[in-house]
């Protein structure tokens, strides 16, 4: 009886710890590479450890990959990564109820990684930043409008705002960094 109980505890513990995504040591190693301006190494480490993210945390993989890509001015690659992350996040809204029950019964690691509201707002910011680096004013305008819309809806529901992102949007609009067509859509 004692051995069966102990084995059950081990199995439950392993189940609760399973699917935790990349380890904290891995994250520390990638951050250290980026702090030392070794962005190519950071990209390699992230790509080499894609399996550690698992299918649940695939959007987190693409978000992590976009950071060193942006730092290396690989803006097209960074936008591709950010777009994939955004599409995966959008797909989470159509998630089944059974997956929600699984996360409640077992643990939150059975759930795919969902962006927090401030992370979602910054996703738009980073996409706009990459579009501006590519001199794609139309693309930047789309992301800025999505960001402002998201911030407005978030402020209505939570009463919270991200001043820096509002300031950034204001700078983009006031310095006419957007195309004429985008300015008309934003300013009326």
């Amino acid at each position: 009886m004692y051995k069966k109980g102990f084995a059950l505890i081990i199995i439950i513990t392993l189940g609760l710890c399973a699917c935790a995504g990349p380890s904290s040591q891995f994250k520390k190693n990638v951050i250290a590479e980026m702090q030392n301006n070794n962005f190519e190494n950071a990209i390699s480490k992230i790509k080499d450890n894609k399996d550690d993210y698992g299918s649940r945390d695939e959007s987190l993989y693409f978000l992590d990959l976009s950071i060193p890509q942006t730092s290396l001015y690989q803006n097209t690659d960074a936008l591709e990564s950010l777009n994939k992350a955004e599409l995966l996040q959008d797909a989470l809204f159509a998630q089944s109820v059974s997956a929600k029950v699984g996360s409640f019964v077992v643990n939150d690691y059975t759930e795919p990684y969902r962006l927090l509201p401030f992370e979602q707002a910054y996703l738009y910011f980073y996409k706009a930043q990459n579009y501006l680096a590519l001199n794609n004013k139309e693309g930047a305008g789309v992301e800025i409008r999505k960001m402002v819309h998201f911030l407005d809806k978030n402020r209505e529901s939570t009463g919270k705002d991200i001043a820096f992102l509002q300031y950034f949007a204001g700078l983009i609009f006031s310095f006419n960094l957007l195309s004429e067509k985008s300015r008309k859509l934003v300013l009326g």
Side-chain angles (χ1 to χ4, degrees), residues 1-9:
M1 177 77 173
Y2 173 73
K3 289 181 181 180
K4 286 183 183 179
F6 184 71
L8 183 60
I9 289 172

Side-chain angles (χ1 to χ4, degrees), residues 21-50 52-53 60-69 71-72:
S23 70
S24 59
Q25 186 59 48
F26 166 76
K27 292 175 188 177
K28 288 177 185 176
N29 290 340
V30 170
I31 290 169
E33 292 288 358
M34 290 191 288
Q35 287 174 333
N36 292 321
N37 294 323
N38 295 328
F39 300 110
E40 294 92 355
N41 291 350
I43 290 172
S44 294
K45 284 185 181 195
I46 293 167
K47 286 182 176 181
D48 291 346
N49 290 284
K50 184 177 181 181
D52 292 347
Y53 287 87
L60 184 59
Y61 165 78
F62 289 116
L63 291 170
D64 286 350
L65 189 58
S66 72
I67 297 167
Q69 288 171 331
S71 297
L72 286 172

Side-chain angles (χ1 to χ4, degrees), residues 137-138 176-188:
K137 295 175 182 180
E138 292 294 323
N176 295 322
L177 294 177
L178 302 179
S179 68
E180 185 64 32
K181 183 178 177 183
S182 292
R183 282 197 303 280
K184 285 180 182 177
L185 287 172
V186 172
L187 303 175

Side-chain angles (χ1 to χ4, degrees), residues 67-152:
I67 297 167
Q69 288 171 331
T70 299
S71 297
L72 286 172
Y73 301 102
Q74 296 174 353
N75 302 100
T76 303
D77 293 339
L79 278 169
E80 184 180 326
S81 295
L82 291 166
N83 284 330
K84 287 178 182 178
E86 184 178 18
L87 288 172
L88 289 165
Q89 288 296 309
D90 290 346
L92 291 178
F93 287 110
Q95 188 180 38
S96 70
V97 175
S98 62
K100 288 279 189 195
V101 171
S103 73
F104 179 73
V105 173
V106 180
N107 69 17
D108 283 339
Y109 290 123
T110 63
E111 277 276 295
Y113 181 76
R114 290 180 185 268
L115 293 177
L116 298 171
F118 80 91
E119 292 172 318
Q120 183 69 45
Y122 272 100
L123 175 68
Y124 301 129
F125 166 76
Y126 288 119
K127 287 178 72 177
Q129 191 179 39
N130 279 287
Y131 278 120
L132 287 172
L134 292 169
N135 201 28
N136 182 339
K137 295 175 182 180
E138 292 294 323
V142 168
E143 297 308 322
I144 295 294
R145 286 191 298 279
K146 285 170 35 178
M147 181 181 76
V148 169
H149 177 73
F150 178 83
L151 290 170
D152 289 345

